Amino acid sequence: MQSPPSNSIFALQLPSAWLVHAPLSRVTLLANTPFASALRDGSLPTTVPGDSPLHRLLEPASPTPVSGAFRPAFLGIITSRRCNMSCPHCGFGRDFDGEETPWNAVEKTLSWYADRVREEGGEGLAVHFFGGEPTLSRQLLVRTVERTRELAETGGLQTRFEIATNGLMNRSMATWLKGHMDSVILSLDGAQEDHNRLRPGRCGAGTFLDV
């Protein structure tokens, strides 16, 4: 039995343990540092009880096939891999100068999503923004919101917008979010000391007070 691909497992360092999450395997567990290191290096034992969470973690994982009518609950848009933080548990911060998702791809996907919602008799278009840090792509956010509202008006649909952000933005961006987002998911990792350790800025300094 081989360890699953590293990009299907996420490990977050806590003060005295590691939080390991493998969404495709439906496993979440607390681990000590030797276990986390062995998981990273692919040196975990190859034989484990079949009914244990570790067995499910090591099994090759794949998404559960979807059956029945396809009714997406929302459209998730990853604006880019760019980020203005350098969290140790995430590789996106190493790509500050990465490219944005092309507008023509976003526009085509929005149109496809709107058609699908109308065909299925849905009531509205729900668009969620992710990253990287999506607020670094302000113009893409603005164009996407405007185009979604145009499609909704044409089809007699409602709209709902949500964004997941680390909160590291200027007042102008925050004001825009307040006026255009229905929901803002803010990543704040505990008290100041914990947040600064888990979510440093690109220069390595803490970001708690800035957020």
Side-chain angles (χ1 to χ4, degrees):
M1 184 181 297
Q2 296 180 345
S3 296
S6 60
N7 60 5
S8 69
I9 299 179
F10 303 88
L12 177 64
Q13 187 174 12
L14 304 176
S16 59
W18 288 78
L19 178 64
V20 178
H21 178 52
L24 296 182
S25 302
R26 299 178 183 273
V27 173
T28 302
L29 52 84
L30 282 176
N32 57 25
T33 296
F35 177 93
S37 299
L39 179 63
R40 179 192 59 207
D41 300 336
S43 58
L44 287 171
T46 57
T47 303
V48 295
D51 59 348
S52 72
L54 182 56
H55 184 276
R56 299 202 311 273
L57 184 70
L58 297 179
E59 279 287 336
S62 60
T64 302
V66 177
S67 59
F70 181 54
R71 297 187 178 92
F74 64 88
L75 175 65
I77 296 178
I78 297 177
T79 57
S80 77
R81 291 179 59 87
R82 293 187 298 165
C83 189
N84 48 7
M85 288 189 181
S86 54
C87 307
H89 55 275
C90 176
F92 280 18
R94 293 190 289 270
D95 194 24
F96 185 75
D97 297 319
E99 296 181 357
E100 288 184 350
T101 299
W103 168 245
N104 64 334
V106 174
E107 188 175 30
K108 289 179 180 178
T109 305
L110 286 172
S111 297
W112 170 87
Y113 174 51
D115 290 343
R116 188 70 62 246
V117 170
R118 285 194 295 267
E119 290 172 3
E120 294 296 333
E123 297 181 352
L125 305 179
V127 178
H128 296 192
F129 297 100
F130 304 95
E133 172 49 44
T135 61
L136 295 177
S137 304
R138 178 165 181 165
Q139 290 306 311
L140 184 61
L141 295 179
V142 171
R143 295 182 74 179
T144 302
V145 168
E146 291 177 348
R147 181 56 180 155
T148 302
R149 286 177 172 160
E150 291 173 356
L151 292 169
E153 184 176 357
T154 301
L157 302 170
Q158 302 173 1
T159 60
R160 177 175 174 78
F161 300 100
E162 178 175 297
I163 189 169
T165 174
N166 61 29
L168 200 60
M169 67 187 77
N170 59 33
R171 185 174 297 276
S172 174
M173 186 73 249
T175 299
W176 187 87
L177 292 184
K178 181 179 180 180
H180 295 82
M181 294 293 114
D182 297 283
S183 179
V184 175
I185 309 301
L186 177 64
S187 298
L188 190 66
D189 290 355
Q192 181 171 345
E193 180 180 355
D194 296 323
H195 178 91
N196 286 342
R197 174 171 52 83
L198 295 171
R199 292 186 175 273
R202 295 187 58 80
C203 64
T207 59
F208 183 88
L209 296 180
D210 294 321
V211 172

